[in-house]
Amino acid sequence: MTFQHLSLASGKWNNLDLIEQMANIGSEVFRAISWRAKGDNETAKGAFIRALELFDLTVSDPSNRNRLKEILRARELFCDFFIGNNRYFQTDGQWQKYFSQFNYLVQKRRTG
């Protein structure tokens, strides 16, 4: 497998806690949604693939073994939303709201 996030795949990812990992996944999800809304499907596809890569790195992190259900469910739903039939009727706004929570927590930690 070829990783786009090489330094993260080499173990750096596991130094982040789950909140930081989810915030980073959210950044790629935001990019994918934004590029798709702009009609740039190739760039959106790249962001989608990077998001999946980060989901997979998060799943493979041993410190997340007790939280795999939510991580894998989020991955499955994002795939259904972005490239599937969107059978759960998800929206851009729902995804932005879900991942914004993680970004908020990371930002709050940094600013105190």
mmCIF file of all heavy atoms in Angstrom, residues 24-47:
data_model
loop_
_atom_site.group_PDB
_atom_site.id
_atom_site.type_symbol
_atom_site.label_atom_id
_atom_site.label_comp_id
_atom_site.label_asym_id
_atom_site.label_seq_id
_atom_site.Cartn_x
_atom_site.Cartn_y
_atom_site.Cartn_z
ATOM 1 N N ASN A 24 -7.806 15.540 12.396
ATOM 2 C CA ASN A 24 -7.064 15.473 11.128
ATOM 3 C C ASN A 24 -7.879 14.782 10.038
ATOM 4 O O ASN A 24 -7.862 15.212 8.887
ATOM 5 C CB ASN A 24 -5.726 14.753 11.329
ATOM 6 C CG ASN A 24 -4.700 15.667 11.938
ATOM 7 O OD1 ASN A 24 -4.235 16.599 11.295
ATOM 8 N ND2 ASN A 24 -4.349 15.425 13.182
ATOM 9 N N ILE A 25 -8.584 13.733 10.396
ATOM 10 C CA ILE A 25 -9.472 13.091 9.424
ATOM 11 C C ILE A 25 -10.516 14.101 8.963
ATOM 12 O O ILE A 25 -10.808 14.229 7.766
ATOM 13 C CB ILE A 25 -10.169 11.851 10.042
ATOM 14 C CG1 ILE A 25 -9.151 10.754 10.339
ATOM 15 C CG2 ILE A 25 -11.255 11.326 9.095
ATOM 16 C CD1 ILE A 25 -9.710 9.612 11.183
ATOM 17 N N GLY A 26 -11.049 14.851 9.924
ATOM 18 C CA GLY A 26 -12.048 15.863 9.604
ATOM 19 C C GLY A 26 -11.539 16.895 8.614
ATOM 20 O O GLY A 26 -12.284 17.341 7.735
ATOM 21 N N SER A 27 -10.272 17.261 8.720
ATOM 22 C CA SER A 27 -9.712 18.230 7.770
ATOM 23 C C SER A 27 -9.786 17.700 6.345
ATOM 24 O O SER A 27 -10.126 18.434 5.412
ATOM 25 C CB SER A 27 -8.260 18.548 8.132
ATOM 26 O OG SER A 27 -8.205 19.214 9.363
ATOM 27 N N GLU A 28 -9.480 16.430 6.175
ATOM 28 C CA GLU A 28 -9.567 15.836 4.829
ATOM 29 C C GLU A 28 -11.018 15.698 4.385
ATOM 30 O O GLU A 28 -11.344 15.907 3.217
ATOM 31 C CB GLU A 28 -8.863 14.476 4.778
ATOM 32 C CG GLU A 28 -7.359 14.540 4.971
ATOM 33 C CD GLU A 28 -6.613 15.300 3.871
ATOM 34 O OE1 GLU A 28 -7.203 15.633 2.830
ATOM 35 O OE2 GLU A 28 -5.422 15.583 4.086
ATOM 36 N N VAL A 29 -11.903 15.375 5.321
ATOM 37 C CA VAL A 29 -13.329 15.286 4.997
ATOM 38 C C VAL A 29 -13.842 16.661 4.556
ATOM 39 O O VAL A 29 -14.552 16.773 3.547
ATOM 40 C CB VAL A 29 -14.135 14.748 6.202
ATOM 41 C CG1 VAL A 29 -15.636 14.923 5.995
ATOM 42 C CG2 VAL A 29 -13.789 13.279 6.451
ATOM 43 N N PHE A 30 -13.450 17.707 5.295
ATOM 44 C CA PHE A 30 -13.861 19.068 4.913
ATOM 45 C C PHE A 30 -13.364 19.395 3.507
ATOM 46 O O PHE A 30 -14.092 19.981 2.702
ATOM 47 C CB PHE A 30 -13.316 20.109 5.884
ATOM 48 C CG PHE A 30 -13.869 20.016 7.280
ATOM 49 C CD1 PHE A 30 -13.126 20.494 8.348
ATOM 50 C CD2 PHE A 30 -15.102 19.470 7.548
ATOM 51 C CE1 PHE A 30 -13.612 20.418 9.644
ATOM 52 C CE2 PHE A 30 -15.610 19.389 8.837
ATOM 53 C CZ PHE A 30 -14.852 19.872 9.888
ATOM 54 N N ARG A 31 -12.101 19.047 3.219
ATOM 55 C CA ARG A 31 -11.541 19.321 1.888
ATOM 56 C C ARG A 31 -12.314 18.571 0.805
ATOM 57 O O ARG A 31 -12.630 19.131 -0.247
ATOM 58 C CB ARG A 31 -10.066 18.922 1.841
ATOM 59 C CG ARG A 31 -9.161 19.865 2.570
ATOM 60 C CD ARG A 31 -7.687 19.486 2.381
ATOM 61 N NE ARG A 31 -6.883 20.243 3.307
ATOM 62 C CZ ARG A 31 -6.366 19.772 4.433
ATOM 63 N NH1 ARG A 31 -6.510 18.503 4.760
ATOM 64 N NH2 ARG A 31 -5.678 20.550 5.245
ATOM 65 N N ALA A 32 -12.601 17.313 1.066
ATOM 66 C CA ALA A 32 -13.329 16.515 0.077
ATOM 67 C C ALA A 32 -14.696 17.134 -0.222
ATOM 68 O O ALA A 32 -15.092 17.276 -1.384
ATOM 69 C CB ALA A 32 -13.487 15.073 0.575
ATOM 70 N N ILE A 33 -15.395 17.516 0.829
ATOM 71 C CA ILE A 33 -16.715 18.124 0.657
ATOM 72 C C ILE A 33 -16.605 19.451 -0.083
ATOM 73 O O ILE A 33 -17.383 19.737 -1.004
ATOM 74 C CB ILE A 33 -17.402 18.298 2.034
ATOM 75 C CG1 ILE A 33 -17.784 16.927 2.601
ATOM 76 C CG2 ILE A 33 -18.616 19.216 1.931
ATOM 77 C CD1 ILE A 33 -18.243 16.954 4.047
ATOM 78 N N SER A 34 -15.632 20.248 0.302
ATOM 79 C CA SER A 34 -15.461 21.566 -0.310
ATOM 80 C C SER A 34 -15.127 21.459 -1.799
ATOM 81 O O SER A 34 -15.711 22.168 -2.625
ATOM 82 C CB SER A 34 -14.352 22.325 0.432
ATOM 83 O OG SER A 34 -14.083 23.545 -0.195
ATOM 84 N N TRP A 35 -14.200 20.568 -2.146
ATOM 85 C CA TRP A 35 -13.820 20.416 -3.557
ATOM 86 C C TRP A 35 -14.968 19.861 -4.392
ATOM 87 O O TRP A 35 -15.164 20.249 -5.535
ATOM 88 C CB TRP A 35 -12.573 19.550 -3.694
ATOM 89 C CG TRP A 35 -11.338 20.302 -3.311
ATOM 90 C CD1 TRP A 35 -10.509 20.048 -2.261
ATOM 91 C CD2 TRP A 35 -10.788 21.462 -3.965
ATOM 92 N NE1 TRP A 35 -9.499 20.965 -2.213
ATOM 93 C CE2 TRP A 35 -9.639 21.843 -3.249
ATOM 94 C CE3 TRP A 35 -11.161 22.212 -5.076
ATOM 95 C CZ2 TRP A 35 -8.863 22.943 -3.616
ATOM 96 C CZ3 TRP A 35 -10.380 23.303 -5.437
ATOM 97 C CH2 TRP A 35 -9.255 23.657 -4.715
ATOM 98 N N ARG A 36 -15.717 18.950 -3.788
ATOM 99 C CA ARG A 36 -16.867 18.408 -4.527
ATOM 100 C C ARG A 36 -17.898 19.504 -4.787
ATOM 101 O O ARG A 36 -18.469 19.576 -5.880
ATOM 102 C CB ARG A 36 -17.492 17.246 -3.761
ATOM 103 C CG ARG A 36 -18.633 16.600 -4.545
ATOM 104 C CD ARG A 36 -19.065 15.297 -3.981
ATOM 105 N NE ARG A 36 -19.792 15.478 -2.724
ATOM 106 C CZ ARG A 36 -20.378 14.509 -2.071
ATOM 107 N NH1 ARG A 36 -20.313 13.264 -2.547
ATOM 108 N NH2 ARG A 36 -21.001 14.719 -0.949
ATOM 109 N N ALA A 37 -18.122 20.354 -3.789
ATOM 110 C CA ALA A 37 -19.079 21.451 -3.950
ATOM 111 C C ALA A 37 -18.637 22.423 -5.032
ATOM 112 O O ALA A 37 -19.469 23.044 -5.697
ATOM 113 C CB ALA A 37 -19.270 22.184 -2.620
ATOM 114 N N LYS A 38 -17.327 22.545 -5.220
ATOM 115 C CA LYS A 38 -16.783 23.420 -6.257
ATOM 116 C C LYS A 38 -16.755 22.751 -7.629
ATOM 117 O O LYS A 38 -16.364 23.362 -8.609
ATOM 118 C CB LYS A 38 -15.372 23.872 -5.886
ATOM 119 C CG LYS A 38 -15.327 24.768 -4.666
ATOM 120 C CD LYS A 38 -13.892 25.080 -4.277
ATOM 121 C CE LYS A 38 -13.863 25.915 -3.007
ATOM 122 N NZ LYS A 38 -12.484 26.120 -2.510
ATOM 123 N N GLY A 39 -17.098 21.472 -7.661
ATOM 124 C CA GLY A 39 -17.131 20.739 -8.919
ATOM 125 C C GLY A 39 -15.805 20.157 -9.341
ATOM 126 O O GLY A 39 -15.672 19.657 -10.459
ATOM 127 N N ASP A 40 -14.802 20.206 -8.471
ATOM 128 C CA ASP A 40 -13.490 19.627 -8.778
ATOM 129 C C ASP A 40 -13.449 18.202 -8.210
ATOM 130 O O ASP A 40 -12.933 17.953 -7.120
ATOM 131 C CB ASP A 40 -12.380 20.487 -8.183
ATOM 132 C CG ASP A 40 -10.999 20.030 -8.619
ATOM 133 O OD1 ASP A 40 -10.857 18.881 -9.086
ATOM 134 O OD2 ASP A 40 -10.054 20.829 -8.481
ATOM 135 N N ASN A 41 -13.994 17.272 -8.955
ATOM 136 C CA ASN A 41 -14.139 15.904 -8.460
ATOM 137 C C ASN A 41 -12.816 15.167 -8.317
ATOM 138 O O ASN A 41 -12.689 14.299 -7.453
ATOM 139 C CB ASN A 41 -15.099 15.134 -9.364
ATOM 140 C CG ASN A 41 -16.509 15.656 -9.240
ATOM 141 O OD1 ASN A 41 -16.917 16.129 -8.181
ATOM 142 N ND2 ASN A 41 -17.261 15.601 -10.326
ATOM 143 N N GLU A 42 -11.817 15.493 -9.121
ATOM 144 C CA GLU A 42 -10.509 14.830 -8.986
ATOM 145 C C GLU A 42 -9.835 15.208 -7.676
ATOM 146 O O GLU A 42 -9.323 14.354 -6.965
ATOM 147 C CB GLU A 42 -9.595 15.196 -10.160
ATOM 148 C CG GLU A 42 -9.639 14.267 -11.329
ATOM 149 C CD GLU A 42 -9.540 12.784 -10.978
ATOM 150 O OE1 GLU A 42 -8.538 12.354 -10.382
ATOM 151 O OE2 GLU A 42 -10.478 12.059 -11.317
ATOM 152 N N THR A 43 -9.837 16.496 -7.359
ATOM 153 C CA THR A 43 -9.233 16.941 -6.097
ATOM 154 C C THR A 43 -10.050 16.415 -4.919
ATOM 155 O O THR A 43 -9.487 16.024 -3.894
ATOM 156 C CB THR A 43 -9.136 18.474 -6.074
ATOM 157 O OG1 THR A 43 -8.435 18.908 -7.252
ATOM 158 C CG2 THR A 43 -8.376 18.960 -4.864
ATOM 159 N N ALA A 44 -11.367 16.395 -5.068
ATOM 160 C CA ALA A 44 -12.230 15.846 -4.018
ATOM 161 C C ALA A 44 -11.916 14.373 -3.783
ATOM 162 O O ALA A 44 -11.854 13.919 -2.644
ATOM 163 C CB ALA A 44 -13.696 16.029 -4.393
ATOM 164 N N LYS A 45 -11.686 13.653 -4.861
ATOM 165 C CA LYS A 45 -11.357 12.223 -4.745
ATOM 166 C C LYS A 45 -10.044 12.034 -3.993
ATOM 167 O O LYS A 45 -9.917 11.136 -3.160
ATOM 168 C CB LYS A 45 -11.250 11.603 -6.145
ATOM 169 C CG LYS A 45 -10.940 10.134 -6.133
ATOM 170 C CD LYS A 45 -10.838 9.608 -7.561
ATOM 171 C CE LYS A 45 -10.317 8.190 -7.582
ATOM 172 N NZ LYS A 45 -10.069 7.729 -8.948
ATOM 173 N N GLY A 46 -9.059 12.890 -4.268
ATOM 174 C CA GLY A 46 -7.785 12.803 -3.552
ATOM 175 C C GLY A 46 -7.965 13.024 -2.057
ATOM 176 O O GLY A 46 -7.391 12.299 -1.241
ATOM 177 N N ALA A 47 -8.768 14.004 -1.690
ATOM 178 C CA ALA A 47 -9.026 14.268 -0.269
ATOM 179 C C ALA A 47 -9.792 13.102 0.356
ATOM 180 O O ALA A 47 -9.541 12.724 1.503
ATOM 181 C CB ALA A 47 -9.791 15.577 -0.105
#
